[in-house]
Amino acid sequence: MLLFSLLFLWCPLFGILAYALYVSQQTEVPIRRLWGLAVMLALYLGCLAVTKERLGDFLEYSRLFHEVPKYNLFSYIMLFGKEPVYYGYTYLAYYLFLGNWNLFVISITVANYLLLSYGVLKIAGYLHASINHTLVALFFMAFFFQEFAAIGNMFRQGLAQSVTLAFLVRWYLVGKRSWWMALCAVGIHTSSLPILAVGLLPVIQRKMEWRTLSKLSVMVVLAAVFFFFVGGYLAHLPFIGYIFARATDYERLLATDSWQTEVGLQSSMIVLLLLLGGMIVFLYRKLESSVLYVFINLNLLLLLMMIVCHIGEMYYLLMRYFFYIYAFQNVLFLIFLHENRFFQRTVPQLSVVAFMIGYFYYQFSHNIFSYIPVLEALVYPLPVYIIL
């Protein structure tokens, strides 16, 4: 492991690929080796994230981070009146990292990808998935560029959706009722609350017929009506009032978000939803009964919600919850790999990995956000990113 660690420090991508190749050749792989790869991927992506140009939300998060010394912990959290877990961490991280913005960005990104890796590895353990399928799923998760871009532009929601996935994995596959994780997810970003609520419904744990989907849709509508009626009275409560204020802000919920239009969400949405829909249909026909339907059904409900938002031109709402697909699609993809005979062969597995890496670096240099040149991203030693 020491050799691979040195290779990773010298050239992160080369170290990652060399270590993944080594692991793939083993007949029995301890879970710590897979976690070693997950840590490498998370650190590398965290380092790439710091090279993003400071614009938009990224600039605002930087500004708020550097304003920490003006306040004490309590006043800093109360300054925002929402999502105290994220802002509490921001405050503490400023002093933990001695005001180093790059280290803060790395910590957020690494936390995101380690939580997503936790979901993938726990699903792999539950399925007794092959080493190669697990490796392919980890590379799919890490090099899906839209997730990387979302995490780097929306710190709070990116982290919240990763915590939400980890909470549901622990709830259903580990048997741990880690309510503190659910509270953390909501305390990081309130958009996680509906996903948590739906994810714990008994009906989500099995195949859903159209009648069941209709009933669930009615429940969601009734919940929305409840929020609209009581939101005005509860909007001024500390922290949780922010949830009700957002829920009753009709203009914001139904608005078109210019940032999403600029990055071409519409075309990418259609392609991704078609792929997700195909995987869901395949798994519905393949799997009879499994607790894994929790994660299949959450992807299904998110997919249907995106279609409704797209038809209704509710692009702000679409933006918020489309990003949850980026987190939950990783476990769906692993289940699909495990159940699909076509991906038992080496060539399709390598093709997925090669495509995802190529796609990532292409998007890295061809999107509205500016990062370092691709060649530098490929060859920079890891310590260089700390001082950029």
Side-chain angles (χ1 to χ4, degrees), residues 271-284:
V271 173
L272 182 57
L273 293 188
L274 285 173
L275 292 173
L276 289 175
M279 286 190 281
I280 292 168
V281 169
F282 175 86
L283 291 172
Y284 253 71

Side-chain angles (χ1 to χ4, degrees), residues 31 34-35 38 116-126 134 138 331 334:
I31 189 65
L34 292 171
W35 269 113
L116 293 176
S117 298
Y118 177 83
V120 169
L121 294 177
K122 285 299 180 183
I123 293 284
Y126 181 84
T134 306
L138 285 173
V331 293
L334 176 55

